[in-house]
Amino acid sequence: MKVAVIGAGVMGHGIAEVFSIYGNQVFLYDKFEEALKKGLEKIKWSLDKLYEKGKISEKPEEVMGRITPIKELKEVKGSEIVIEAVPENFNLKAEVFKEVEKYVDGNTIIATNTSSLPITELSQALLKRDRFLGLHFFNPPVLMGLVEVIRGEYTSDEVFAKGIEIVRSISREPIPVRKDVIGFVVNRILFRIFTTACRLTNKYTIEQIDSTAKHILKFPMGIFELLDFTGIDTNYLISKEVMKRGFDFTCPQLEELYKKGYYGSKSGKGFYDWSKGRPEIKFLPGPTPQELLVDAVKEGRWLVENGVSTDEEVNKATRLGLGWPKGLFDYAKEYGL
Ligand code: CAA
């Protein structure tokens, strides 16, 4: 299959890598030459790691050989699917869709990897809206086993089914998101945990909060570590977009860091100093699991009660999308929430 990925940043390069690993012909576009170069370097680094560990059997050069960097959007012509992964800015994404639609034919699926913008709203930039859907990957796409498949108001049944099939073809678990709600499934839960953690800083240090996440709940990363890892800039832009649409994502610390240019792991500093690699999170007594999870569990119930997801899907989505050892409702039972 010919796949085009628009945007070679944190998510775009990872999405391109996954498609290439599974034998697809990938065209990777970025408006900025430097970003494209960096994206390709990161793919190479990641493929080398995967090869060394025996996680891929094909040589990295061969996988890289299926990825063609492109400098003009018109080169997406002939793609079966175009996946947009540019920054979380509505107008920027809308411009990309309008431009892409000029070059592809009627059968091409156009997907967005947005984390925070409504699919229906974004699809309004297109002339043919039934070809559009959300395919939401998790960072880093090459290690995370989940992709949310989101239908907007105009997405056709055929395109939605094809989206699920494409996700399976790259060996990822598709989670259908039945309603186009802000943050879909995983991020609605994650945003609650982020805001809870930010609020808890009036009582605990970030190290104490992250200690509960990492050492008691056994999450793969602390909450503030994850904010840094996914990017302070990305999370700040997301928080602005979702707040505009009525979803509470209050975290004043994000704005402070963003304004100082502390974008997290990618810039070497965020909540933590990343100049020497991942922060070491020591065990410290901190908030209880109940304090940290209560709002997330309420959000999970909201998703089920409003027909967006099922109990089983919420559990699967939090395990595979966030790398938790247990699903959200397993924790809820364990801690009597
Ligand atoms: N490709 C290949 N290898 C990679 C890699 C990549 N992209 N990233 C990390 N690795 C490697 C590391 O280099 C390391 O290799 P070595 O053992 O040789 O040093 C190995 O993977 C394990 O990494 P770590 O020891 O640093 O850490 P880990 O065991 O905790 O695994 C992780 C890393 C998979 C990222 C894990 O920490 C994790 O699952 N974290 C949570 C991530 C998460 O929640 N993602 C979703 C965020 S939300 C989102 O993305 C949506 C949104 O819209 C904002």
Side-chain angles (χ1 to χ4, degrees), residues 11 13 17 45-47 49-50 52-53 55 113-115 136-140 142-144 186-187 190-191 214 220-221 226 229-230 234-235 238 278 321-323:
M11 296 305 290
H13 85 264
E17 180 183 352
W45 172 87
S46 168
L47 290 171
K49 275 256 162 203
L50 297 175
E52 266 166 37
K53 292 184 179 168
K55 290 191 177 161
N113 178 56
T114 184
S115 307
H136 184 224
F137 288 76
F138 293 84
N139 185 15
V142 75
L143 300 182
M144 308 307 282
V186 175
N187 276 347
L190 188 61
F191 296 163
K214 205 155 169 171
M221 288 182 166
L226 185 57
F229 176 72
T230 47
T234 306
N235 284 298
I238 289 176
R278 269 182 79 172
L322 301 172

Side-chain angles (χ1 to χ4, degrees), residues 14-174:
I15 295 170
E17 180 183 352
V18 176
F19 275 95
S20 176
I21 289 174
Y22 288 91
N24 299 287
Q25 211 55 49
V26 182
F27 291 77
L28 180 60
Y29 170 87
D30 202 292
K31 183 160 112 176
F32 301 103
E33 210 164 283
E34 192 51 32
L36 193 53
K37 194 170 147 242
K38 265 200 184 153
L40 291 167
E41 281 166 12
K42 285 191 186 147
I43 296 175
K44 178 71 175 55
W45 172 87
S46 168
L47 290 171
D48 284 345
K49 275 256 162 203
L50 297 175
Y51 186 70
E52 266 166 37
K53 292 184 179 168
K55 290 191 177 161
I56 53 169
S57 51
E58 211 181 358
K59 292 227 166 74
E61 308 79 69
E62 282 162 27
V63 182
M64 284 300 284
R66 282 192 293 273
I67 304 178
T68 311
I70 56 174
K71 290 189 183 133
E72 290 192 60
L73 266 182
K74 65 175 181 221
E75 292 175 73
V76 302
K77 197 170 164 34
S79 303
E80 218 168 293
I81 180 165
V82 178
I83 304 173
E84 165 278 314
V86 304
E88 288 294 282
N89 173 306
F90 188 89
N91 293 334
L92 182 65
K93 287 182 191 277
E95 268 172 42
V96 167
F97 301 138
K98 282 191 184 134
E99 190 68 17
V100 163
E101 205 175 29
K102 286 188 203 159
Y103 308 117
V104 294
D105 65 34
N107 296 324
T108 303
I109 294 178
I110 301 182
T112 174
N113 178 56
T114 184
S115 307
S116 58
L117 298 164
I119 303 305
T120 303
E121 240 181 89
L122 284 171
S123 67
Q124 280 155 4
L126 290 169
L127 298 171
K128 192 174 173 335
R129 297 173 183 170
D130 60 347
R131 63 157 96 218
F132 190 73
L133 85 169
L135 286 186
H136 184 224
F137 288 76
F138 293 84
N139 185 15
V142 75
L143 300 182
M144 308 307 282
L146 186 88
V147 180
E148 291 176 316
V149 184
I150 310 118
R151 64 184 313 161
E153 201 180 315
Y154 309 104
T155 312
S156 71
D157 290 345
E158 198 190 339
V159 166
F160 190 64
K162 185 79 186 155
I164 301 230
E165 193 188 300
I166 289 173
V167 170
R168 291 211 173 102
S169 77
I170 51 167
S171 218
R172 295 292 179 277
E173 183 74 32

